[in-house]
Amino acid sequence: MQQQDEVAARVRQVIDAAGVSAREFARRIVIDPSKLSRSLNGTRRFTAAELARIADIGGVDVGRLLGSAADAAAGANVAGRTAAGAAATPSTARSSSAPRPPLASPEGGRPLQIVRETVRLIAERGFHAVRVADIAAACHTSTAAIHYHFPGRDELLEAAVRWCMDEDTRRRADATAGTRHAGDELRLLIELQTPRTEQQRRQWCVWLDLWAEAARSTTVGRLHVEYYRQWRGTVADVIRRGIEQGVFRPVDADSAALALTALIDGLASQVLATEPDGQVDGVPGTGAQAMHDTLIAHVDACLTALRAD
């Protein structure tokens, strides 16, 4: 227990040195903020892979976090890899007592690079068609380095889901910051969810793949539930504010948010099944613009307040 508290204290020092909140640090190492909180409070142990990601982001050795050379060797042996395999990764080849020299690191650190490339490859090929070797090649590193940070495909998928959730939430917050009119904000949210650009189509392709995994994976399923609870809550809050402003009718905000988000998902899946120009065999009307127009018509018909005669 004492060692666990000492590890938590060292991780706190890394977070303080990074100059960010614990929640932001959790985003950077791609774990659930509640897991980080419990580990810092001593009610949960950090996994070896989490310590590897913390060391990478913080620019320290895993051995420094663990506090001894013996523990460093144990921490380097992530997810049952052999000691020789662990030594092949840059961060475990150094002595735990030696200071870590500056290394050329991808923006955001190696863990975030791995997750971003994983998401890109999932969008292009589907999760089950993506091999660890493909991710390693995209990151210009070894498969051992991938396993060092994410020992198994399940953990990598969980990290990819959480990164997508965080990025989606961040984009919505950035786009709607300073918007006071609830009607304008709801239309901005609809615009963000309409797969017009190639990037938006890729994001939706990832979500479709993750929906299928959520039906099979308890962990991904929990993340799926968490994300949609937050997303529907965001829409419901905008609708409530619109009711207070007299922009929307006095409807049940939660039910209206459920209907609107379900409509967005259903229409988006149809749009993604078409060509980017929104036509199937030359027949228009199934593309992103049609989806956007349908959603706006739904808002106008079901939510927008009636004008006085």
Side-chain angles (χ1 to χ4, degrees), residues 177-245:
T179 305
R180 298 184 179 276
H181 189 279
D184 292 342
E185 184 170 351
L186 188 58
R187 283 166 172 77
L188 274 174
L189 292 176
I190 289 173
E191 188 71 30
L192 289 173
Q193 296 298 317
T194 305
R196 296 180 184 275
T197 67
E198 186 60 32
Q199 180 184 5
Q200 288 173 318
R201 288 181 69 91
R202 283 198 303 268
Q203 291 166 355
W204 269 106
C205 284
V206 173
W207 281 120
L208 290 180
D209 214 64
L210 297 180
W211 286 346
E213 289 303 312
R216 304 182 183 96
S217 167
T218 301
T219 299
V220 176
R222 283 197 299 266
L223 290 172
H224 184 269
V225 170
E226 176 188 339
Y227 170 77
Y228 270 90
R229 182 171 57 247
Q230 294 174 355
W231 168 224
R232 286 193 295 267
T234 296
V235 175
D237 288 344
V238 173
I239 293 173
R240 288 190 188 93
R241 192 159 62 254
I243 294 171
E244 293 173 358
Q245 293 175 355

Side-chain angles (χ1 to χ4, degrees), residues 44-301:
R44 173 187 177 273
R45 287 184 179 275
F46 286 104
T47 68
E50 288 166 358
L51 289 172
R53 299 202 290 275
I54 291 167
D56 185 278
I57 296 297
V60 299
D61 285 330
V62 173
R64 176 180 167 186
L65 295 176
L66 291 168
S68 74
D71 287 336
N77 191 18
V78 176
R81 290 194 302 116
T82 63
T89 62
S91 57
T92 59
R94 290 180 294 273
S95 165
S96 64
S97 59
R100 182 174 182 171
L103 295 174
S105 180
E107 182 181 358
R110 181 68 71 188
L112 275 181
Q113 183 200 28
I114 291 170
V115 172
R116 285 194 294 262
E117 290 300 325
T118 299
V119 169
R120 181 181 66 80
L121 291 170
I122 290 174
E124 293 177 358
R125 309 178 190 180
F127 178 71
H128 289 287
V130 177
R131 303 172 305 161
V132 173
D134 299 326
I135 301 169
C139 295
H140 304 289
T141 189
S142 66
T143 56
I146 305 297
H147 286 304
Y148 178 69
H149 292 292
F150 302 97
R153 286 174 62 88
D154 288 346
E155 186 175 7
L156 188 53
L157 176 60
E158 180 182 350
V161 174
R162 184 162 295 285
W163 185 83
C164 287
M165 289 169 52
D166 289 345
E167 285 297 293
D168 200 40
T169 302
R170 181 186 60 78
R171 279 192 297 269
R172 289 201 303 265
D174 290 346
T176 59
T179 305
R180 298 184 179 276
H181 189 279
D184 292 342
E185 184 170 351
L186 188 58
R187 283 166 172 77
L188 274 174
L189 292 176
I190 289 173
E191 188 71 30
L192 289 173
Q193 296 298 317
T194 305
R196 296 180 184 275
T197 67
E198 186 60 32
Q199 180 184 5
Q200 288 173 318
R201 288 181 69 91
R202 283 198 303 268
Q203 291 166 355
W204 269 106
C205 284
V206 173
W207 281 120
L208 290 180
D209 214 64
L210 297 180
W211 286 346
E213 289 303 312
R216 304 182 183 96
S217 167
T218 301
T219 299
V220 176
R222 283 197 299 266
L223 290 172
H224 184 269
V225 170
E226 176 188 339
Y227 170 77
Y228 270 90
R229 182 171 57 247
Q230 294 174 355
W231 168 224
R232 286 193 295 267
T234 296
V235 175
D237 288 344
V238 173
I239 293 173
R240 288 190 188 93
R241 192 159 62 254
I243 294 171
E244 293 173 358
Q245 293 175 355
V247 175
F248 299 140
R249 306 180 192 197
V251 299
D252 183 304
D254 292 323
S255 296
L258 176 61
L260 180 57
T261 54
L263 183 59
I264 289 172
D265 289 345
L267 289 173
S269 64
Q270 294 183 47
V271 171
L272 293 170
T274 70
E275 294 298 324
D277 63 4
Q279 297 189 16
V280 179
D281 296 331
V283 179
T286 54
Q289 187 59 50
M291 170 182 170
H292 180 269
D293 294 345
T294 299
L295 291 169
I296 296 301
H298 173 81
V299 170
D300 289 341

